[in-house]
Amino acid sequence: MNWYVVYTKPKWEKKVAEQLKKNGIECYCPLITQVRQWSDRKKKVEVPLFNSYVFVQLPEADRNLVFQSAGAVRYLFWLGKPAIVRDEEINIIKKGLDGSDTCEVSLVPFQVGDKIELDSGPFSTQTAIVQEVNKTHYILVLESLGCVLKMKFK
């Protein structure tokens, strides 16, 4: 049996997964725990890893059973056919979310003076020093080429 991707109404992922399980359909809605802050408190809540998507595993002939659940909108299609997710990919998602290896990821912008290596574009593999950081662009000095590069954000 194949895994398919079901598109749901916004914020209905957990409800649809619950209804599918009640109907005897194997499904998987990967959840992550986030800390949400309100004006008076912080709370840990479980939110779907993929917004508006639930994975279902069922035979091709039974695909329409999914629509008995309120909130299921349609299947995700790829090249005119229902998108199929391999078992290995589902297992990778499950393994990544099992919680044994927890880490916190944060995005830190470049600072003036940082030495970076460009990994794409015409200057890939070149080393540059960040000279200026602005809200709209970076200015980088490419010492090996003897030039200054201005990179705009889109």
Side-chain angles (χ1 to χ4, degrees), residues 55-108:
F55 301 100
V56 295
Q57 186 178 35
L58 67 170
E60 172 87 24
D62 295 338
R63 282 189 326 130
N64 286 336
L65 295 176
V66 168
F67 300 113
Q68 293 175 353
S69 301
V73 177
R74 61 180 171 84
Y75 281 97
L76 182 69
F77 278 77
W78 175 253
L79 298 175
K81 297 179 182 177
I84 295 175
V85 181
R86 296 187 319 246
D87 285 328
E88 304 89 57
E89 294 169 325
I90 296 293
N91 291 334
I92 288 170
I93 294 169
K94 287 180 179 179
K95 185 179 177 186
L97 295 178
D98 71 358
S100 60
D101 297 332
T102 57
C103 64
E104 188 171 317
V105 178
S106 60
L107 182 62
V108 180

Side-chain angles (χ1 to χ4, degrees), residues 112-150:
V112 173
D114 286 351
K115 194 170 192 175
I116 61 171
E117 185 173 321
L118 303 174
D119 58 2
S120 63
F123 299 105
S124 62
T125 71
Q126 294 293 321
T127 304
I129 298 174
V130 179
Q131 184 178 27
E132 181 182 324
V133 177
N134 199 322
K135 289 183 180 180
T136 59
H137 64 272
Y138 286 124
I139 294 184
L140 307 174
V141 177
L142 301 171
E143 292 178 331
S144 61
L145 299 177
C147 65
V148 177
L149 178 65
K150 182 176 180 179

Side-chain angles (χ1 to χ4, degrees), residues 29-76:
C29 180
L31 301 172
I32 57 173
T33 304
Q34 289 184 340
V35 177
R36 296 281 173 102
Q37 183 168 350
W38 286 264
S39 60
D40 61 337
R41 68 189 184 287
K42 286 184 180 181
K43 187 177 179 181
K44 286 185 180 181
V45 293
E46 282 192 327
V47 296
L49 180 62
F50 304 105
N51 292 333
S52 297
Y53 293 115
V54 174
F55 301 100
V56 295
Q57 186 178 35
L58 67 170
E60 172 87 24
D62 295 338
R63 282 189 326 130
N64 286 336
L65 295 176
V66 168
F67 300 113
Q68 293 175 353
S69 301
V73 177
R74 61 180 171 84
Y75 281 97
L76 182 69

Side-chain angles (χ1 to χ4, degrees), residues 9-26:
K9 291 180 181 179
K11 310 283 187 199
W12 275 63
E13 302 90 347
K14 292 193 278 187
K15 295 174 206 163
V16 168
E18 201 174 288
Q19 291 173 9
L20 291 170
K21 286 178 185 174
K22 283 182 185 176
N23 292 340
I25 298 173
E26 184 174 352

